[in-house]
């Protein structure tokens, strides 16, 4: 796919900004947040306004942090998305963390890396406190 892009596009992708990465993010990674929602949040943050939008699940999604190379979006009360663009030689790597919380203060984080065209560079890695909690419950006397 890279061979078919003009040289100017390849240079732009190698110098990917966090704003461009969010704009180009596939809808499949955040299905209830439209491209327009993502663009609106960037505009709101740049205007120093509350960067909240109504998502497709009739809830509120808010960008809570935006810098030149990273961002954080509170997708819902139980979900946080963080993203960072890391420059490596002549390319950019996108590191995406999706964290899901339970009411019991447990969480699960799914981390995956992508190239500047949002093609996966790694399989998702899951870190979870939920499994540890399951072990604790199984060890209770009633089991």
């Amino acid at each position: 796919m890279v061979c078919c892009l003009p040289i100017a596009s390849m240079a732009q992708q190698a110098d990917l900004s966090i704003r461009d990465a969010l704009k180009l993010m596939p809808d499949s990674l955040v299905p209830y947040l439209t491209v327009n929602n993502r663009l609106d949040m960037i505009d709101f943050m740049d205007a120093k306004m509350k960067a909240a939008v109504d998502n497709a699940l009739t809830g509120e999604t808010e960008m809570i942090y935006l810098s030149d190379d990273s961002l954080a979006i509170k997708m819902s009360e139980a979900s946080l998305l963080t993203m960072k663009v890391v420059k490596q030689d002549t390319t950019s790597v996108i590191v995406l963390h999706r964290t899901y919380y339970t009411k019991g203060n447990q969480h699960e984080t799914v981390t995956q890396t992508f190239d500047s065209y949002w093609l996966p560079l790694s399989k998702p890695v899951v870190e979870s406190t939920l499994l540890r909690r399951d072990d604790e419950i199984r060890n209770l006397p009633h089991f």
Side-chain angles (χ1 to χ4, degrees):
M1 289 173 53
V2 173
C3 66
C4 303
L5 293 173
I7 292 173
S9 293
M10 288 172 51
Q12 290 170 352
Q13 293 294 332
D15 219 15
L16 188 69
S17 72
I18 193 70
R19 286 169 169 78
D20 290 336
L22 185 62
K23 292 174 192 176
L24 298 171
M25 176 187 262
D27 292 340
S28 61
L29 293 174
V30 284
Y32 56 95
L33 202 58
T34 67
V35 173
N36 287 336
N37 288 150
R38 298 191 304 258
L39 294 173
D40 286 345
M41 288 190 298
I42 292 170
D43 290 342
F44 294 152
M45 288 296 281
D46 289 342
K48 301 199 183 336
M49 299 169 55
K50 180 179 178 180
V53 296
D54 293 328
N55 62 45
L57 298 176
T58 65
E60 183 178 89
T61 297
E62 181 181 4
M63 183 180 290
I64 54 177
Y65 177 78
L66 177 65
S67 72
D68 292 336
D69 67 346
S70 60
L71 60 79
I73 299 174
K74 183 179 175 188
M75 300 297 288
S76 68
E77 290 298 318
S79 177
L80 177 70
L81 179 139
T82 58
M83 189 165 63
K84 184 168 181 65
V85 174
V86 180
K87 310 286 190 235
Q88 289 186 345
D89 299 323
T90 59
T91 63
S92 296
V93 174
I94 302 164
V95 181
L96 183 69
H97 300 280
R98 288 174 281 185
T99 304
Y100 307 96
Y101 298 95
T102 67
K103 289 185 179 184
N105 217 13
Q106 303 293 309
H107 69 277
E108 180 172 275
T109 301
V110 180
T111 302
Q112 191 169 9
T113 57
F114 299 87
D115 69 9
S116 57
Y117 298 99
W118 282 101
L119 298 172
L121 296 174
S122 68
K123 291 183 178 182
V125 175
V126 178
E127 296 177 24
S128 178
T129 61
L130 299 176
L131 297 176
R132 283 185 247 141
R133 181 70 180 141
D134 289 347
D135 290 340
E136 289 173 18
I137 291 172
R138 273 195 289 273
N139 291 330
L140 290 175
H142 63 279
F143 278 104

